[in-house]
Amino acid sequence: MAGIRKRRALPWAVLALWIAVVALAVPFAGKLGDVQRDNAVDYLPAGADSTQVARIQQQLPGGEATELVLVYHRDGGLTAADRAAVGRQVADIAAAHELTGTQAPPAVPSKDGTTLMVPLSSTEPGGDEAKRTALVEDVRERVAGGDGLSVDVGGPSALQTDMEEVFESIDGALMLATVLVVAVLLILTYRSPFLWLVPLVVVGVAAVATRALIYGLVQGFDLTVTSQSAGIMTVLVFGAGTDYALLIVARYREELRRVPQPYDAMRAALRGCGPAVLASSGTVAAGLLCLLAADLNSARGLGPVGAVGVVCALAAMLTLLPAVLVLLGRRVFWPLVPAYGSEPKQRRSLFAAMGSSAGRRPVAVLASGAVLLGALALGAFSLPGTLKQEDTFTSRPESVSAMRTLADAYPERSSQPISVVARTSDTQAVLDKARATNGVAAVEQGRSADGWTELSVFAEDAPETPGETETIKSLRKGLDGAYVGGLSAQQLDLDDTNARDRLVVVPLVLAAVLLILIALLRSLVAPLILVVAVVAVWGAAMGLGGLVFGPLFGFNGTDPGLPLLSFVFLVALGVDYGIFLMHRMREEALTGADPATAALTALRTTGGVIASAGIVLAATFAVLMNLPLVPLVEMGFVVAVGVLLDTFLVRTYLVTSASLLLGRGVWWPGALSKRGRAPHPEPERTSSPAGV
């Protein structure tokens, strides 16, 4: 009787606990968007010169200045009426806002007479993001063209405003698209009018809990959360959570045929797949936490945010999902109800056929797969160069149009200043050295406060060109005690820091994942196979990116953070499927199955789950490709393609072939590698496809 009461009470208690959690979490989950930060400092390297400049600028009077450039252009040449209209509009702006320096900034004509450039600077917003955005929008409303005269508002602050508008649209659009994609895939997977709702609702609960918990961490520990990290966190929660749900539901369905009571069947299912799910989430969380060693602020902030999401998804899938499934009973699987003692419909399994082909020619399959992955990886040499600020958007906003017009009309000088901050006592010396530096066209002195003075240096070369890069390097070498920053310097620092972070974070991720696999599989060989496989998949996915980013997508650059972040995601997430496969292979080996039988049975019984999970995870990351930011599109493509390669090529063919070739050696030096050992057998069970 006590056992019966426990079966009835425990699921209800778990459900009640989660209802209480959601009730507490909902008010705080909605506030996460209010504490997201998308300042330049939040995306820059912690120790870089450009970051120091951005921080000091925020301390100067009015905080970080709002820098704008009005760009008036007429193809046939500007008329006297155009110039008069420009004067009236600039005077109107100067009367409405507190501009830095002269209240009527002069217009700078281009040599060909087609363009007028009017630089504006204001500290009126006082560092307030909302006020800065309002100022940019007001300026855009006050300027007007027409009759062949075009006008665009550009400059660093306009670019940042356009980017923030995109970020604001990401959260809701990404959540909605992800939910729809997961819902459709679950319906197709389960072919049930009810079952698909259970994992979807549970992963939604996990997402709410994650957002509330991260909001608490922001308030308590000043955790930095950017719109980018919040968006990726959403994808991780839905992708990883749904993967865990697919594995648990598939194993639960299998146990329902062997065990009469749903409660006991769920216990057996969790005993069977629980270690694999725990290890899977552990590798993802550990890989993400390795990002804490990165110097890049945005990457370092993504680590704990993503890890919290994965842990919340794990907690919901190991507690709430089993409780709901047990309470609903077998009827939740209708119309394909797994009756106790029944046999699943026998049919030729796709994964059984794949296993048979790998079993007949394991050497040929392994060699062919390795050659294919290597050939795809060569495409990485075709990746476009570093992504410029103006190429960050998939469609051209007004600020980018202004930059393009300026680059064409003023080839003799840069319209984007290089920001230099120096000690006020050293200002004159720094000013003289800056003017004498090769590649510098002009230097203007700006604000001063708290012992710091800001200088605006204009290079002779266009922004983010090799010539301007050399000018920035020369300034940093020649201006002792001063910091050199600005948008172009930030891009230069991002390249250097991402290269450094790869050297630090990649070995940490590999070591963390390897240790978890060794602990789970009690082997050295099997974990090494899985790690080598996911690294090969990452290389192939990056190579495919190199083949399509420029020619097919029309991208002019590659986000410098793409190699590191895609490596972390593909290694940490990709090894999940290896864990599912190898853990089931180990289970079969412990029952006394020979190595070949264990490998093929594991593929047959987990192949459907791995395929479904891989498709869901790839589809959730592919949602990023619909967003208007090139870095997120590139990230979504590389991870989605890598997951599909890992699911349908590496796990099904290459890992299985390697396991068949190595035999018991795959478990070396564990006990299973010793020939002739008779492990303790488990009760015999029907090896039926757990395909979904």
Side-chain angles (χ1 to χ4, degrees), residues 77-337:
L78 294 167
T79 65
D82 293 337
R83 298 176 189 275
V86 171
R88 289 193 300 270
Q89 292 176 15
V90 172
D92 180 42
I93 295 171
H97 300 285
E98 298 178 7
L99 302 182
T100 304
T102 175
Q103 282 298 104
V108 181
S110 62
K111 290 183 177 179
D112 60 7
T114 62
T115 309
L116 277 178
M117 173 179 68
V118 184
L120 302 178
S121 179
S122 174
T123 58
E124 180 182 279
D128 186 287
E129 292 183 34
K131 290 182 179 179
R132 186 198 67 229
T133 300
L135 189 151
V136 174
E137 292 175 350
D138 182 73
V139 169
R140 283 176 168 169
E141 290 177 0
R142 292 177 183 274
V143 297
D147 295 329
L149 176 67
S150 66
V151 56
D152 294 311
V153 179
S157 297
L159 183 66
Q160 188 172 352
T161 297
D162 290 337
M163 193 167 292
E164 286 176 359
E165 288 180 1
V166 171
F167 280 137
E168 288 175 1
S169 67
I170 283 178
D171 215 9
L174 185 62
M175 177 72 78
L176 179 61
T178 305
V179 170
L180 290 176
V181 166
V182 171
V184 170
L185 291 174
L186 286 175
I187 292 171
L188 295 175
T189 298
Y190 287 134
R191 301 190 297 277
S192 167
F194 310 111
L195 182 57
W196 66 274
L197 272 171
V198 179
L200 186 62
V201 170
V202 172
V203 79
V205 169
V208 171
T210 300
R211 292 178 67 87
L213 184 54
I214 292 175
Y215 175 78
L217 293 175
V218 171
Q219 297 299 319
F221 301 96
D222 197 29
L223 178 70
T224 298
V225 181
T226 65
S227 296
Q228 176 177 296
S229 61
I232 292 176
M233 177 270 293
T234 299
V235 171
L236 277 174
V237 171
F238 275 85
T242 307
D243 277 6
Y244 304 151
L246 288 169
L247 185 65
I248 292 170
V249 171
R251 191 60 177 264
Y252 176 53
R253 185 204 296 264
E254 185 179 342
E255 296 297 339
L256 282 172
R257 300 184 187 278
R258 301 177 50 248
V259 181
Q261 295 297 326
Y263 180 89
D264 297 325
M266 182 57 73
R267 286 185 62 188
L270 291 178
R271 280 199 305 267
C273 67
V277 173
L278 284 170
S280 170
S281 61
T283 57
V284 179
L288 289 167
L289 289 176
C290 289
L291 288 172
L292 289 171
D295 187 51
L296 188 63
N297 287 333
S298 56
R300 191 170 63 250
L302 174 61
V305 170
V308 168
V310 171
V311 171
C312 285
L314 172 70
M317 293 307 160
L318 287 183
T319 57
L320 180 58
L321 177 66
V324 174
L325 289 174
V326 168
L327 290 173
L328 293 175
R330 298 174 187 272
R331 60 184 176 274
V332 74
F333 289 93
W334 186 87
L336 305 174
V337 179

Side-chain angles (χ1 to χ4, degrees), residues 552-588:
L552 187 60
F553 295 165
F555 295 160
N556 294 321
T558 305
D559 178 42
L562 177 66
L564 176 62
L565 293 182
S566 63
F567 180 87
V568 172
F569 289 134
L570 280 178
V571 170
L573 291 169
V575 83
D576 284 4
Y577 308 126
I579 289 174
F580 299 161
L581 180 66
M582 282 289 191
H583 185 261
R584 189 58 182 264
M585 193 186 303
R586 189 173 187 278
E587 277 191 85
E588 298 297 330

